[in-house]
């Protein structure tokens, strides 16, 4: 393979650095065809997300290097740096765990609330690993410890079905971009660019079995100003639909699993491995944003809509099948066998954010909110040191005993994609809060958290800054105070969640306000010190599933605001959750519980015990009209906790969907 000589790389003047507005995972090019731009400096200073991000910064990220060392990821790279072969530990994509941790650390370094001593310690670890990666990199620019150590005789990029070479490179690129954006340092970026240039020079006519490189290359183009990286990403997307050669064993690695069964622009439904699918669509959305290609834009809009309408759980979780970690058939959403991998929920957030910027539509922020609070947050323990890989919506009575009563959460995984993925999302979370219109005339707030939002001067508009104060999701009051503004009128746009859109909100300071398409817009010439208060009604509610979702037919779920709730057996000693039938005629009530699960608001409901047939029979089925009475017994009170907090105590049964009849 032709070697690419190392070359010094310079950053195009005007490319983003740590001082640029909107420092985060997505930084649109100057000519992007997007309705919104993420050019907002944001902080999260208090409340719910500050607490969760604090645990991420103080527990999860600092533990990362030790976990990576235990897994063999660090030693693999040391062997590659010393040009040793043999003795590789872990999965073929083991390097990517370090790359994701590096990205998390880089975003954390950009947090102004990080104490100086902690920042210095974290920066030193990042530099240590950057030096290790530079030492492990071959003269050609190639860098992948699995192939350098375990398979040195295998030509590069010839095992693209399962080798994850481009996938791993993508995570390296994203880490390097994050590090450059927050610190201005090019030590990681130079490594990543040399690898990207090597990939370009290799003139591949195939695709990676695990998409990820596409979105990373577009971001590298945005960071460096070199459009050739976007074109390289576009080429990979264009080759899907026949980009991988057939495998030798029939039935192993079906094309749909890799999203290689049809061209991206022609696909009508999401399919195959969920994380692969959503990383590919995130990259396609990035390419559509930068190129303005209408056919590719139509494809990502169509596939997001199909996914959300027919293949997404109430929690925002994605992926119905344990086999292949894959999407199921339309409306196939089993609860106890739900896979809903944590990484798939994270990928959904990344895809939806790109769609929100591309289109300006509020529905994408709705799904981000639902997924963050439920499908993502459940993936890490309240203590920040234990994780879930899959996230079911139902654990049956007796299941824990059959599994030996082992804890569901573990400190790390052999396939450890989820923990550092959570770390990088939470570290970069301020980036997902707000955006601004290209002409600067409108500031949109997509997600609500206590903190600050600021934009630079744009067009005819001067710098603007607002402070947000809220106890969301426990309280629906969101106060937005203007701190800095010019003398030109501009619009403050507040997303009204879909569950509150039908009269579930009020606004103080509503002069010159309008509501439509999920956005509440207030336009005026603002004065520093003005405050607008949005109140979202957080009354608990019962939710029905589409009747085509067999697993939830005859059931309801309890929600309050953005939070899906569940019941755990630990809160109901002596009761079998699978025997309970919810009384939908009884009122729901809420109660703050500062003593429970780090402080939550629970929802209480009324249920009755389902009458069981006489025990001891050899056959669990009976005629439909055999006279068995409907729910019997005295009413019992159910305590429903937020779903994100389940599995943080002893093992036991859990349900999200509750039956309403016998």
């Amino acid at each position: 393979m032709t070697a690419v000589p190392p070359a010094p790389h310079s950053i195009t003047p005007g490319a983003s650095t740590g001082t640029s507005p909107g420092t985060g995972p997505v930084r649109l090019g100057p000519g992007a065809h997007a309705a919104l731009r993420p050019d907002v400096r944001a902080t999260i200073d208090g409340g719910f997300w500050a607490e969760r991000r604090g645990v991420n910064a103080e527990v999860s990220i600092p533990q990362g290097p030790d976990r990576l060392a235990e897994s063999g990821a660090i030693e693999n790279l040391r062997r590659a740096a010393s040009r040793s072969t043999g003795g590789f530990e872990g999965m073929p994509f083991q390097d990517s765990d370090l790359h994701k941790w590096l990205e998390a650390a880089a975003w954390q370094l950009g947090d102004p609330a990080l104490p100086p001593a902690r920042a210095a310690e974290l920066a030193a670890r990042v530099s240590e690993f950057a030096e290790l990666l530079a030492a492990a990199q071959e003269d050609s620019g190639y860098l992948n410890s699995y192939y350098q150590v375990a398979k040195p005789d295998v030509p590069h990029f010839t095992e693209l079905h399962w080798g994850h070479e481009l996938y791993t490179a993508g995570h390296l690129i994203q880490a390097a971009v994050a590090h450059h954006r927050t610190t201005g340092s090019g030590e990681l970026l130079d490594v990543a660019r040399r690898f990207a240039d090597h990939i370009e020079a290799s003139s591949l006519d195939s695709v990676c079995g695990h998409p990820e490189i596409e979105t990373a290359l577009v971001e590298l183009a945005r960071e460096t100003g070199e459009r050739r990286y976007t074109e390289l990403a576009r080429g990979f997307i264009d080759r899907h639909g026949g980009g991988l050669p057939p495998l030798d064993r029939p039935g192993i690695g079906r094309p749909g699993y890799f999203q290689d069964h049809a061209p991206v622009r022609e696909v009508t439904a999401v399919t195959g491995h969920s994380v692969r699918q959503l990383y590919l669509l995130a990259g396609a959305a990035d390419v559509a944003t930068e190129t303005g290609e209408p056919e590719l834009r139509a494809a990502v809009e169509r596939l997001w809509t199909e996914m959300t309408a027919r293949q997404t759980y109430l929690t925002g979780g994605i992926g119905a099948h344990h086999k292949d970690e894959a999407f199921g058939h339309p409306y196939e959403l089993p609860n106890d066998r739900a896979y809903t991998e944590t990484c798939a929920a994270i990928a959904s957030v990344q895809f939806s954010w790109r769609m929100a910027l591309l289109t300006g539509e509020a529905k994408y922020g709705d799904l981000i909110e639902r997924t963050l609070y439920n499908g993502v947050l459940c993936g890490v323990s309240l203590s920040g040191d234990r994780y879930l890989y899959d996230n079911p919506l139902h654990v049956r009575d007796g299941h824990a005993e059959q599994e030996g009563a082992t804890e569901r959460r573990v400190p790390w995984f052999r396939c450890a994609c989820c923990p550092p993925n959570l770390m990088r999302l939470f570290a970069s979370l301020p980036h997902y809060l707000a955006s601004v219109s290209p002409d600067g005339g409108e500031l949109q707030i997509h997600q609500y958290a206590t903190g600050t939002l600021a934009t630079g001067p744009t067009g005819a508009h001067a710098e603007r800054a607002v402070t947000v104060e809220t106890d969301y999701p426990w309280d629906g009051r969101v106060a937005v105070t203007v701190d800095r503004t010019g003398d030109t009128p501009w619009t403050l746009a507040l997303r009204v969640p879909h569950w509150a859109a039908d009269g579930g909100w009020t606004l103080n300071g509503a002069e010159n306000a309008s509501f439509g398409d999920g956005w509440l817009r207030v336009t005026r010439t603002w004065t520093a010190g003005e405050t607008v208060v949005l109140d979202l009604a957080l009354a608990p509610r019962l939710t029905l599933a589409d009747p085509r979702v067999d697993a939830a037919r005859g059931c309801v779920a309890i929600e309050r605001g953005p939070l899906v709730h569940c019941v755990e057996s630990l809160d109901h000693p002596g009761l079998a959750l699978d025997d309970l039938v919810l009384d939908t005629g009884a009122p729901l009530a809420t109660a703050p519980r500062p003593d429970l699960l780090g402080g939550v608001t629970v929802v209480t409901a009324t249920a009755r015990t389902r009458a069981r047939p006489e025990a001891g029979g050899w056959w669990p089925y009976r005629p439909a009209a055999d006279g068995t009475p409907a729910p019997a017994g005295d009413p019992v009170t159910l305590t429903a906790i937020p779903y994100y907090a389940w599995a943080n105590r002893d093992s036991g049964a859990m349900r999200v969907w509750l039956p309403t009849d016998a």
Side-chain angles (χ1 to χ4, degrees):
M1 188 169 291
T2 303
V4 177
H9 288 113
S10 60
I11 303 302
T12 300
S16 58
T17 67
T19 60
S20 299
T23 301
V26 180
R27 176 79 169 150
L28 304 186
H33 301 261
L36 309 177
R37 299 187 65 89
D39 302 339
V40 179
R41 294 186 298 274
T43 66
I44 297 177
D45 304 329
F48 182 88
W49 283 117
E51 180 179 346
R52 299 318 312 155
R53 293 183 72 245
V55 172
N56 188 55
E58 296 164 15
V59 178
S60 304
I61 292 176
Q63 286 185 352
D66 290 340
R67 298 287 180 261
L68 291 163
E70 293 164 4
S71 75
I74 307 303
E75 183 59 29
N76 291 337
L77 285 160
R78 287 179 179 148
R79 288 174 180 147
S82 64
R83 302 304 186 255
S84 302
T85 59
F88 182 88
E89 300 178 59
M91 311 293 285
F93 44 86
Q94 201 81 346
D95 290 1
S96 68
D97 296 341
L98 172 61
H99 300 337
K100 281 184 277 189
W101 182 87
L102 283 168
E103 184 184 345
W107 296 131
Q108 201 62 54
L109 286 171
D111 190 336
L114 188 66
R118 180 71 59 78
E121 180 182 350
L122 191 58
R125 293 311 301 265
V126 171
S127 290
E128 172 191 340
F129 291 139
E131 290 175 6
L132 175 60
L133 290 167
Q137 188 168 36
E138 296 180 356
D139 291 343
S140 67
Y142 185 83
L143 175 57
N144 186 296
S145 69
Y146 176 66
Y147 282 93
Q148 291 171 263
V149 173
K151 291 190 170 185
D153 297 327
V154 173
H156 299 161
F157 310 123
T158 58
E159 296 184 338
L160 286 174
H161 284 92
W162 303 108
H164 291 76
E165 289 166 279
L166 298 180
Y167 165 86
T168 303
H171 281 301
L172 171 62
I173 291 168
Q174 288 179 318
V177 167
H179 190 232
H180 184 258
R181 283 186 183 162
T182 56
T183 69
S185 170
E187 58 182 338
L188 260 181
L189 191 65
D190 189 64
V191 173
R193 291 189 68 177
R194 289 184 59 213
F195 198 176
D197 291 348
H198 174 66
I199 293 168
E200 181 184 37
S202 298
S203 301
L204 301 177
D205 58 2
S206 186
V207 298
C208 186
H210 197 311
E212 213 286 333
I213 186 71
E214 298 83 0
T215 189
L217 285 170
V218 174
E219 216 57 51
L220 183 61
R222 291 164 171 166
E223 190 68 8
T224 63
E226 294 197 29
R227 187 179 174 86
R228 61 191 175 94
Y229 296 128
T230 296
E231 293 305 314
L232 185 57
R234 186 179 195 170
F236 286 129
I237 290 168
D238 289 346
R239 283 191 286 279
H240 272 267
L244 286 167
L247 285 172
D248 294 337
R249 290 180 291 167
I252 301 297
R254 299 175 303 279
Y257 172 86
F258 302 108
Q259 293 77 45
D260 197 39
H261 58 297
V264 172
R265 294 164 182 80
E266 299 175 12
V267 175
T268 58
V270 291
T271 190
H273 188 277
S274 300
V275 179
R276 283 170 162 85
Q277 174 71 89
L278 295 185
Y279 280 172
L280 175 62
L281 293 178
D286 279 328
V287 170
T289 298
E290 291 301 323
T291 65
E293 186 202 324
E295 191 176 16
L296 192 56
R297 170 174 171 155
V300 292
E301 290 190 73
R302 177 178 66 249
L303 291 168
W304 186 94
T305 299
E306 189 276 336
M307 175 191 77
T308 306
R310 305 199 299 176
Q311 307 240 33
T312 300
Y313 282 88
L314 182 69
T315 59
I318 296 292
H321 289 177
H322 282 243
K323 177 178 170 54
D324 291 343
E325 301 178 325
F327 287 101
H329 300 293
Y331 305 104
E332 182 193 2
L333 298 169
N335 296 312
D336 53 346
R337 293 296 295 165
Y339 197 65
T340 48
E341 182 187 345
T342 300
C343 277
I346 294 168
S348 175
V349 169
Q350 294 169 344
F351 176 35
S352 290
W353 178 237
R354 286 159 173 80
M355 295 304 297
L357 298 174
L358 177 61
T359 68
E361 295 183 40
K363 64 183 181 182
Y364 300 106
D366 284 341
L367 184 59
I368 290 172
E369 177 183 81
R370 176 173 294 278
T371 307
L372 278 174
Y373 279 104
N374 302 290
V376 168
L377 190 55
C378 64
V380 60
S381 65
L382 298 175
S383 57
D385 58 356
R386 302 182 74 82
Y387 302 91
L388 292 176
Y389 195 103
D390 55 300
N391 301 279
L393 281 70
H394 182 193
V395 177
R396 294 182 180 276
D397 293 316
H399 175 85
E401 289 78 6
Q402 292 173 10
E403 296 294 321
T406 56
E407 290 190 66
R408 297 189 69 91
R409 297 184 183 272
V410 297
W412 207 248
F413 304 100
R414 180 172 179 269
C415 175
C417 51
C418 297
N421 217 1
L422 285 160
M423 294 176 202
R424 68 174 182 145
L425 178 60
F426 291 146
S428 63
L429 191 61
H431 171 71
Y432 296 91
L433 299 184
S435 61
V436 64
S437 60
D439 65 358
E442 182 174 285
L443 171 67
Q444 304 88 20
I445 303 181
H446 298 253
Q447 308 299 329
Y448 298 119
T450 293
T452 62
L453 307 170
T455 70
T458 307
H461 300 277
E463 285 189 5
R464 281 147 294 163
V466 302
T467 296
V468 180
E469 295 181 325
T470 184
D471 197 23
Y472 198 72
W474 311 123
D475 187 286
R477 184 180 188 273
V478 181
V480 182
T481 300
V482 176
D483 298 321
R484 293 197 307 275
T485 182
D487 55 8
T488 303
W490 56 274
T491 299
L492 174 66
L494 307 174
R495 182 183 59 84
V496 176
H498 67 97
W499 46 263
D502 191 16
W505 59 272
T506 59
L507 182 72
N508 293 332
E511 299 83 4
N512 301 319
S514 63
F515 176 67
D517 299 325
W519 290 110
L520 177 61
R521 292 181 166 91
V522 184
T523 303
R524 66 179 68 155
T525 301
W526 298 85
T527 302
E530 283 189 87
T531 298
V532 170
V533 179
L534 172 66
D535 272 303
L536 299 169
L538 295 187
R541 63 191 186 275
L542 298 178
T543 299
L544 287 168
D546 186 293
R548 289 166 287 191
V549 181
D550 292 328
R553 189 177 295 132
C555 298
V556 294
I558 297 172
E559 296 188 89
R560 180 175 183 264
L563 296 175
V564 174
H565 284 64
C566 67
V567 293
E568 280 194 294
S569 58
L570 299 173
D571 298 310
H572 307 90
L575 294 177
L577 296 189
D578 292 345
D579 286 345
L580 296 178
V581 177
L582 192 72
D583 182 353
T584 57
L588 302 175
T590 59
R593 288 288 303 274
D595 61 318
L596 181 66
L597 295 165
V600 298
T601 295
V602 302
V603 177
T604 57
T606 301
R608 294 180 183 272
T609 302
R610 186 196 312 264
R612 288 186 176 186
E614 185 176 344
W618 63 273
W619 187 242
Y621 304 99
R622 63 185 191 276
D626 66 350
T628 301
D634 295 330
V636 297
T637 299
L638 295 185
T639 298
I641 64 169
Y643 173 77
Y644 77 78
W646 85 282
N648 273 279
R649 299 171 286 179
D650 291 338
S651 296
M654 180 274 292
R655 292 190 74 112
V656 168
W657 291 100
L658 302 166
T660 61
D661 54 44

